[in-house]
């Protein structure tokens, strides 16, 4: 069943780089967004109904486009409204009866990000963040504050954080 205001097969989100906010709908092609972002065979993610604005002046619209592509390695984080939207096809790694929330602070792409990384209770969180082969990791119930302008805050049920852009991370 389609949620109100959403097109089937598309996922709206905020795609944040170090300098821009790109609001758009990712074409899922039947594959969760996290899996697309972690696919090593593609460099870009395609968005529709794209709105581009500078992070330091989010009220200024640089442009809006029907279709556009964003280079995945330039994305610092993706803000999604619902927890389920940040899960991969194989959800067991992040959801299940033996998973626990590990609260993290991550500094990445000019943002301070606070949220929970859900993993099996036996997984060492520090080693997971440092060594997982996945490019993007999901944080749940997360908040991202732009360090250059602390009044710019994004909140989401899930945030997908680019590991290559992590400068600091701490387990609370």
């Amino acid at each position: 069943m389609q949620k109100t205001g959403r097109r089937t097969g598309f996922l709206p989100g905020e795609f944040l780089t170090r300098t821009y906010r790109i609001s758009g709908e990712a074409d899922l092609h039947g594959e969760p967004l996290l899996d697309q972002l972690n696919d090593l065979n593609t460099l870009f993610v395609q968005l529709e109904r794209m709105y581009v604005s500078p992070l330091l002046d989010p009220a200024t619209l640089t442009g809006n486009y029907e279709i556009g592509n964003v280079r995945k390695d330039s994305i610092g984080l993706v803000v999604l409204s619902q927890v389920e939207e940040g899960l991969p096809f194989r959800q067991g790694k992040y959801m299940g009866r033996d998973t626990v929330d590990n609260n993290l602070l991550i500094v990445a792409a000019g943002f301070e990000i606070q949220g929970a990384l859900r993993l099996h209770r036996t997984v060492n969180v520090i080693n997971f963040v440092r060594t997982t082969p996945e490019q993007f990791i999901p944080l749940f119930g997360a908040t991202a504050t732009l360090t250059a302008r602390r009044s710019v805050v994004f909140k989401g049920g899930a945030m997908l954080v680019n590991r290559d852009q992590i400068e600091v991370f701490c387990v609370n």
Side-chain angles (χ1 to χ4, degrees):
M1 185 166 164
Q2 183 175 341
K3 293 182 180 180
T4 306
R6 290 197 181 178
R7 299 186 300 159
T8 301
F10 290 85
L11 178 62
E14 303 291 333
F15 296 77
L16 306 175
T17 70
R18 288 191 173 275
T19 52
Y20 282 91
R21 171 187 185 179
I22 300 121
S23 302
E25 297 177 352
D27 187 345
L28 297 179
H29 302 287
E31 184 178 21
L33 181 60
L34 183 58
D35 292 340
Q36 286 186 37
L37 292 172
N38 285 327
D39 181 353
L40 299 176
N41 295 316
T42 61
L43 291 175
F44 293 86
V45 62
Q46 183 169 307
L47 301 179
E48 293 190 12
R49 299 181 185 180
M50 256 176 79
Y51 294 87
V52 180
S53 59
L55 269 177
L56 290 175
D57 189 10
T60 299
L61 184 63
T62 301
N64 65 312
Y65 308 94
E66 279 302 310
I67 296 178
N69 287 270
V70 181
R71 190 169 171 108
K72 293 189 306 187
D73 60 1
S74 70
I75 298 170
L77 63 143
V78 179
V79 182
L80 303 169
S81 62
Q82 303 295 317
V83 168
E84 302 79 31
E85 297 169 347
L87 293 170
F89 177 73
R90 297 179 186 265
Q91 297 180 5
K93 180 185 244 180
Y94 301 110
M95 298 294 280
R97 64 181 183 172
D98 292 329
T99 57
V100 294
D101 284 355
N102 301 278
N103 293 317
L104 296 177
L105 165 68
I106 295 177
V107 177
F111 286 90
E112 292 174 6
I113 307 157
Q114 294 193 36
L117 177 57
R118 287 189 183 135
L119 295 170
H120 190 274
R121 71 179 81 249
T122 61
V123 175
N124 181 310
V125 177
I126 293 171
N127 286 341
F128 176 83
V129 174
R130 289 176 26 198
T131 64
T132 184
E134 296 172 347
Q135 184 66 39
F136 286 80
I137 57 172
L139 292 183
F140 302 102
T143 301
T145 304
L146 184 62
T147 56
R149 181 167 290 159
R150 301 197 66 77
S151 62
V152 177
V153 178
F154 294 90
K155 294 181 180 185
M159 287 191 191
L160 310 178
V161 181
N162 186 337
R163 284 183 51 247
D164 277 349
Q165 295 195 24
I166 293 176
E167 299 172 39
V168 175
F169 76 94
C170 310
V171 179
N172 295 336

Coordinates of all heavy atoms in Angstrom, one line a residue, residues 94-157:
Y94 N 20.5 -5.4 11.3 CA 20.2 -4.2 12.1 C 18.9 -4.3 12.8 O 18.6 -3.4 13.6 CB 20.1 -3.0 11.1 CG 21.4 -2.8 10.4 CD1 21.5 -3.0 9.0 CD2 22.5 -2.3 11.1 CE1 22.7 -2.8 8.4 CE2 23.7 -2.1 10.4 CZ 23.8 -2.3 9.1 OH 25.0 -2.1 8.4
M95 N 18.1 -5.4 12.6 CA 16.8 -5.5 13.3 C 16.7 -7.0 13.7 O 17.0 -7.9 13.0 CB 15.7 -5.2 12.4 CG 15.6 -3.8 11.8 SD 15.4 -2.5 13.1 CE 13.6 -2.6 13.3
G96 N 16.2 -7.2 14.9 CA 15.9 -8.5 15.4 C 15.9 -8.5 16.9 O 16.2 -7.5 17.6
R97 N 15.5 -9.7 17.4 CA 15.3 -9.7 18.9 C 16.6 -9.6 19.7 O 16.6 -9.2 20.8 CB 14.6 -11.0 19.2 CG 15.4 -12.2 18.9 CD 14.7 -13.5 19.3 NE 15.6 -14.6 18.9 CZ 15.4 -15.8 19.2 NH1 14.3 -16.1 19.8 NH2 16.3 -16.7 18.9
D98 N 17.8 -9.9 19.1 CA 19.0 -9.8 19.8 C 19.8 -8.5 19.5 O 21.0 -8.4 19.8 CB 19.9 -11.0 19.5 CG 19.3 -12.3 20.0 OD1 18.6 -12.2 21.1 OD2 19.5 -13.4 19.4
T99 N 19.2 -7.6 18.8 CA 19.9 -6.3 18.5 C 19.7 -5.3 19.6 O 18.7 -5.4 20.3 CB 19.4 -5.7 17.1 OG1 18.0 -5.5 17.2 CG2 19.8 -6.6 16.0
V100 N 20.7 -4.5 19.8 CA 20.6 -3.5 20.9 C 21.0 -2.2 20.2 O 21.8 -2.1 19.2 CB 21.5 -3.8 22.1 CG1 21.0 -5.0 22.8 CG2 23.0 -4.0 21.7
D101 N 20.5 -1.1 20.7 CA 20.9 0.3 20.3 C 22.2 0.7 20.9 O 22.4 0.6 22.1 CB 19.8 1.3 20.6 CG 18.6 1.2 19.7 OD1 18.6 0.4 18.8 OD2 17.6 1.9 20.0
N102 N 23.2 1.1 20.1 CA 24.4 1.6 20.5 C 24.4 3.1 20.1 O 24.5 3.4 18.9 CB 25.6 0.9 19.8 CG 25.6 -0.6 20.1 OD1 26.0 -1.0 21.2 ND2 25.0 -1.4 19.2
N103 N 24.4 4.0 21.1 CA 24.3 5.4 20.8 C 25.7 5.9 20.4 O 26.7 5.7 21.1 CB 23.8 6.2 22.0 CG 22.3 5.9 22.3 OD1 21.5 5.8 21.4 ND2 22.0 5.7 23.5
L104 N 25.7 6.6 19.3 CA 27.0 7.1 18.7 C 26.9 8.6 18.5 O 25.8 9.2 18.2 CB 27.3 6.5 17.4 CG 27.5 5.0 17.3 CD1 27.7 4.6 15.8 CD2 28.7 4.6 18.1
L105 N 28.1 9.3 18.6 CA 28.3 10.6 18.0 C 29.3 10.4 16.9 O 30.3 9.8 17.1 CB 28.9 11.5 19.1 CG 29.5 12.8 18.5 CD1 28.3 13.7 18.0 CD2 30.3 13.6 19.6
I106 N 28.9 10.9 15.7 CA 29.7 10.9 14.6 C 29.9 12.3 14.0 O 28.9 13.0 13.9 CB 29.1 10.0 13.5 CG1 29.1 8.5 13.9 CG2 29.9 10.0 12.2 CD1 28.4 7.5 13.0
V107 N 31.1 12.7 13.7 CA 31.4 13.9 13.0 C 31.8 13.5 11.6 O 32.7 12.8 11.4 CB 32.5 14.7 13.7 CG1 32.8 16.0 12.9 CG2 32.2 15.0 15.1
A108 N 31.0 14.0 10.6 CA 31.2 13.6 9.2 C 30.6 14.7 8.3 O 29.5 15.2 8.6 CB 30.5 12.3 8.9
A109 N 31.3 15.0 7.3 CA 30.8 15.9 6.2 C 30.3 17.3 6.8 O 29.4 17.9 6.3 CB 29.6 15.3 5.5
G110 N 31.0 17.7 7.9 CA 30.6 19.0 8.5 C 29.4 19.0 9.4 O 28.8 20.0 9.8
F111 N 29.0 17.8 9.8 CA 27.8 17.6 10.7 C 28.3 16.8 11.9 O 29.1 16.0 11.9 CB 26.7 16.7 10.0 CG 26.0 17.5 9.0 CD1 26.4 17.5 7.6 CD2 24.8 18.2 9.3 CE1 25.7 18.2 6.7 CE2 24.1 18.9 8.3 CZ 24.5 18.8 7.0
E112 N 27.6 17.2 13.0 CA 27.6 16.4 14.2 C 26.4 15.5 14.2 O 25.2 16.1 14.2 CB 27.6 17.2 15.5 CG 28.9 18.0 15.7 CD 28.8 19.0 16.9 OE1 27.8 18.9 17.6 OE2 29.7 19.8 17.0
I113 N 26.5 14.2 14.2 CA 25.4 13.3 14.0 C 25.3 12.4 15.3 O 26.3 11.8 15.7 CB 25.6 12.4 12.8 CG1 25.9 13.2 11.5 CG2 24.4 11.5 12.6 CD1 26.6 12.5 10.4
Q114 N 24.1 12.4 15.8 CA 23.8 11.6 17.0 C 22.7 10.7 16.7 O 21.6 11.1 16.2 CB 23.5 12.4 18.2 CG 24.7 13.3 18.6 CD 24.6 13.9 20.0 OE1 24.0 13.3 20.9 NE2 25.1 15.1 20.2
G115 N 22.9 9.4 17.0 CA 21.8 8.4 16.7 C 22.3 7.0 17.2 O 23.3 6.9 17.8
A116 N 21.4 6.1 17.0 CA 21.7 4.7 17.4 C 22.0 3.8 16.3 O 21.3 3.8 15.3 CB 20.5 4.2 18.2
L117 N 23.1 3.0 16.4 CA 23.4 2.0 15.5 C 23.0 0.7 16.1 O 23.4 0.3 17.2 CB 24.9 1.9 15.3 CG 25.5 0.8 14.4 CD1 24.8 0.9 13.0 CD2 27.0 1.0 14.3
R118 N 22.0 0.0 15.5 CA 21.5 -1.3 16.0 C 22.3 -2.4 15.5 O 22.3 -2.6 14.2 CB 20.0 -1.4 15.6 CG 19.1 -0.5 16.3 CD 17.6 -0.8 16.0 NE 16.9 0.2 16.7 CZ 15.8 0.8 16.2 NH1 15.4 0.5 15.0 NH2 15.2 1.7 16.9
L119 N 22.8 -3.2 16.4 CA 23.6 -4.4 16.0 C 23.3 -5.5 17.0 O 22.9 -5.2 18.1 CB 25.1 -4.1 16.0 CG 25.6 -3.0 15.0 CD1 27.0 -2.6 15.3 CD2 25.4 -3.6 13.6
H120 N 23.7 -6.7 16.6 CA 23.6 -7.8 17.5 C 24.4 -7.5 18.8 O 25.5 -6.9 18.7 CB 24.1 -9.1 16.9 CG 23.8 -10.4 17.6 ND1 24.6 -10.8 18.6 CD2 22.7 -11.2 17.6 CE1 24.1 -11.9 19.2 NE2 22.9 -12.2 18.5
R121 N 24.0 -8.0 19.9 CA 24.6 -7.6 21.2 C 26.1 -8.1 21.3 O 26.9 -7.5 22.0 CB 23.8 -8.1 22.4 CG 23.8 -9.6 22.6 CD 23.0 -10.1 23.8 NE 21.6 -10.1 23.5 CZ 20.7 -9.3 24.0 NH1 21.0 -8.4 24.8 NH2 19.4 -9.4 23.7
T122 N 26.5 -9.1 20.5 CA 27.8 -9.6 20.5 C 28.8 -8.8 19.6 O 30.0 -9.1 19.7 CB 27.9 -11.1 20.1 OG1 27.4 -11.2 18.8 CG2 27.0 -11.9 21.1
V123 N 28.3 -7.9 18.8 CA 29.1 -7.2 17.8 C 29.8 -6.0 18.5 O 29.2 -5.3 19.2 CB 28.3 -6.7 16.6 CG1 29.1 -5.8 15.7 CG2 27.7 -7.8 15.9
N124 N 31.1 -5.9 18.3 CA 31.9 -4.8 18.8 C 31.6 -3.6 17.9 O 32.0 -3.6 16.8 CB 33.4 -5.2 18.9 CG 34.2 -4.1 19.4 OD1 34.1 -2.9 19.0 ND2 35.1 -4.4 20.3
V125 N 31.0 -2.6 18.5 CA 30.5 -1.5 17.7 C 31.7 -0.7 17.1 O 31.7 -0.3 15.9 CB 29.7 -0.5 18.5 CG1 29.3 0.7 17.7 CG2 28.5 -1.2 19.1
I126 N 32.7 -0.5 17.8 CA 33.9 0.2 17.3 C 34.5 -0.5 16.2 O 34.8 0.1 15.1 CB 34.9 0.5 18.5 CG1 34.3 1.4 19.5 CG2 36.2 1.0 17.9 CD1 35.1 1.6 20.8
N127 N 34.7 -1.8 16.3 CA 35.3 -2.6 15.2 C 34.4 -2.6 14.0 O 34.9 -2.6 12.9 CB 35.6 -4.0 15.6 CG 36.8 -4.1 16.5 OD1 37.7 -3.2 16.5 ND2 37.0 -5.1 17.3
F128 N 33.1 -2.7 14.2 CA 32.1 -2.7 13.1 C 32.3 -1.4 12.3 O 32.4 -1.4 11.1 CB 30.7 -2.8 13.6 CG 29.7 -2.7 12.5 CD1 29.4 -3.9 11.8 CD2 29.0 -1.6 12.2 CE1 28.5 -3.8 10.7 CE2 28.1 -1.5 11.2 CZ 27.8 -2.6 10.5
V129 N 32.2 -0.2 12.9 CA 32.3 1.0 12.2 C 33.6 1.1 11.5 O 33.7 1.6 10.4 CB 32.1 2.2 13.2 CG1 32.3 3.6 12.4 CG2 30.7 2.2 13.8
R130 N 34.7 0.7 12.1 CA 36.0 0.8 11.5 C 36.3 -0.2 10.4 O 37.0 0.2 9.4 CB 37.1 0.6 12.6 CG 37.2 1.8 13.5 CD 38.2 1.6 14.7 NE 39.3 0.7 14.4 CZ 40.0 0.1 15.3 NH1 39.8 0.3 16.5 NH2 41.0 -0.7 14.9
T131 N 35.7 -1.3 10.4 CA 36.1 -2.4 9.5 C 35.0 -2.9 8.5 O 35.3 -3.7 7.7 CB 36.7 -3.6 10.2 OG1 35.6 -4.2 11.1 CG2 37.8 -3.2 11.1
T132 N 33.7 -2.5 8.7 CA 32.7 -3.1 7.9 C 33.0 -2.7 6.4 O 33.4 -1.6 6.1 CB 31.3 -2.6 8.3 OG1 30.3 -3.2 7.4 CG2 31.1 -1.1 8.1
P133 N 32.7 -3.6 5.5 CA 33.0 -3.3 4.1 C 31.9 -2.4 3.5 O 32.1 -1.9 2.4 CB 32.9 -4.7 3.4 CG 32.1 -5.5 4.3 CD 32.3 -5.0 5.7
E134 N 30.9 -2.1 4.2 CA 29.8 -1.2 3.7 C 30.2 0.2 3.7 O 30.8 0.7 4.7 CB 28.5 -1.4 4.5 CG 28.0 -2.9 4.3 CD 26.8 -3.2 5.3 OE1 26.6 -2.4 6.2 OE2 26.2 -4.2 5.1
Q135 N 29.9 0.9 2.6 CA 30.2 2.4 2.5 C 29.4 3.2 3.4 O 29.8 4.2 4.0 CB 30.1 2.8 1.0 CG 30.5 4.2 0.8 CD 32.0 4.4 1.0 OE1 32.8 3.6 0.6 NE2 32.4 5.5 1.5
F136 N 28.1 2.9 3.5 CA 27.1 3.7 4.3 C 26.6 2.8 5.4 O 26.3 1.6 5.2 CB 26.0 4.2 3.4 CG 26.3 5.3 2.5 CD1 27.0 5.0 1.3 CD2 26.0 6.6 2.8 CE1 27.3 6.1 0.5 CE2 26.4 7.6 2.0 CZ 27.0 7.4 0.8
I137 N 26.5 3.4 6.6 CA 26.0 2.7 7.7 C 24.7 3.5 8.3 O 24.7 4.7 8.2 CB 27.0 2.5 8.9 CG1 27.6 3.8 9.4 CG2 28.1 1.5 8.5 CD1 28.4 3.7 10.6
P138 N 23.7 2.7 8.7 CA 22.5 3.4 9.2 C 22.5 3.7 10.7 O 22.9 2.9 11.5 CB 21.4 2.4 8.9 CG 22.1 1.1 9.0 CD 23.5 1.3 8.6
L139 N 22.1 5.0 11.0 CA 21.8 5.3 12.4 C 20.3 5.6 12.5 O 19.7 6.1 11.5 CB 22.6 6.6 12.7 CG 24.1 6.5 12.8 CD1 24.7 7.9 13.3 CD2 24.6 5.4 13.7
F140 N 19.8 5.2 13.6 CA 18.3 5.3 13.7 C 18.0 6.4 14.8 O 18.7 6.5 15.8 CB 17.7 4.0 14.1 CG 18.0 2.9 13.0 CD1 19.0 2.0 13.2 CD2 17.4 3.0 11.8 CE1 19.4 1.1 12.2 CE2 17.7 2.0 10.8 CZ 18.7 1.1 11.0
G141 N 16.8 7.0 14.6 CA 16.4 8.1 15.5 C 17.5 9.2 15.6 O 17.9 9.6 16.7
A142 N 18.0 9.6 14.5 CA 19.2 10.4 14.5 C 18.9 11.9 14.3 O 17.9 12.3 13.7 CB 20.1 9.9 13.4
T143 N 19.9 12.7 14.7 CA 19.9 14.2 14.5 C 21.2 14.6 14.0 O 22.3 14.1 14.5 CB 19.6 14.9 15.9 OG1 18.4 14.4 16.4 CG2 19.6 16.4 15.7
A144 N 21.2 15.5 13.0 CA 22.5 16.0 12.4 C 22.5 17.5 12.5 O 21.6 18.1 12.0 CB 22.6 15.5 10.9
T145 N 23.5 18.0 13.1 CA 23.6 19.5 13.3 C 24.8 20.0 12.4 O 25.9 19.5 12.6 CB 23.9 19.9 14.8 OG1 22.8 19.3 15.6 CG2 23.9 21.3 15.0
L146 N 24.5 21.0 11.6 CA 25.6 21.5 10.8 C 26.5 22.3 11.7 O 26.1 23.3 12.3 CB 25.0 22.4 9.7 CG 26.0 23.0 8.7 CD1 26.7 21.9 7.9 CD2 25.2 24.0 7.7
T147 N 27.8 22.0 11.7 CA 28.7 22.6 12.6 C 29.0 24.1 12.2 O 29.2 24.9 13.1 CB 30.1 21.8 12.7 OG1 30.6 21.7 11.4 CG2 29.9 20.5 13.3
A148 N 28.9 24.4 11.0 CA 29.2 25.8 10.6 C 28.0 26.7 10.9 O 28.2 27.9 11.0 CB 29.5 25.9 9.1
R149 N 26.8 26.2 11.0 CA 25.6 26.9 11.4 C 24.7 26.0 12.2 O 23.9 25.3 11.7 CB 24.9 27.4 10.1 CG 23.7 28.3 10.5 CD 23.1 29.0 9.4 NE 24.0 30.1 9.0 CZ 24.0 30.7 7.8 NH1 23.2 30.3 6.9 NH2 24.8 31.7 7.6
R150 N 24.9 26.1 13.5 CA 24.2 25.2 14.4 C 22.7 25.3 14.4 O 22.0 24.4 14.9 CB 24.8 25.4 15.8 CG 26.3 25.1 15.9 CD 26.8 24.9 17.2 NE 26.4 23.7 17.9 CZ 26.9 22.5 17.6 NH1 27.7 22.3 16.6 NH2 26.4 21.5 18.3
S151 N 22.1 26.3 13.8 CA 20.7 26.4 13.7 C 20.1 25.5 12.6 O 18.9 25.3 12.5 CB 20.3 27.9 13.4 OG 20.8 28.3 12.2
V152 N 21.0 25.0 11.7 CA 20.6 24.0 10.7 C 20.7 22.6 11.2 O 21.8 22.1 11.5 CB 21.5 24.2 9.4 CG1 21.1 23.2 8.3 CG2 21.4 25.6 8.9
V153 N 19.5 22.0 11.5 CA 19.4 20.7 12.1 C 18.5 19.8 11.3 O 17.4 20.3 10.8 CB 18.9 20.8 13.5 CG1 18.7 19.4 14.2 CG2 19.8 21.7 14.4
F154 N 18.9 18.6 11.0 CA 18.1 17.6 10.3 C 17.8 16.5 11.3 O 18.7 16.0 12.0 CB 18.8 17.1 9.1 CG 19.1 18.1 8.0 CD1 20.2 18.9 8.0 CD2 18.1 18.3 7.0 CE1 20.4 19.8 7.0 CE2 18.3 19.3 6.1 CZ 19.5 20.0 6.1
K155 N 16.6 16.0 11.3 CA 16.2 14.8 12.1 C 15.5 13.8 11.2 O 14.8 14.1 10.3 CB 15.2 15.3 13.2 CG 15.8 16.2 14.2 CD 14.8 16.6 15.3 CE 15.5 17.5 16.2 NZ 14.7 17.9 17.4
G156 N 15.7 12.5 11.5 CA 15.1 11.5 10.8 C 15.0 10.2 11.5 O 15.8 9.9 12.5
G157 N 14.1 9.4 11.1 CA 14.0 8.0 11.6 C 15.3 7.2 11.3 O 15.7 6.3 12.1

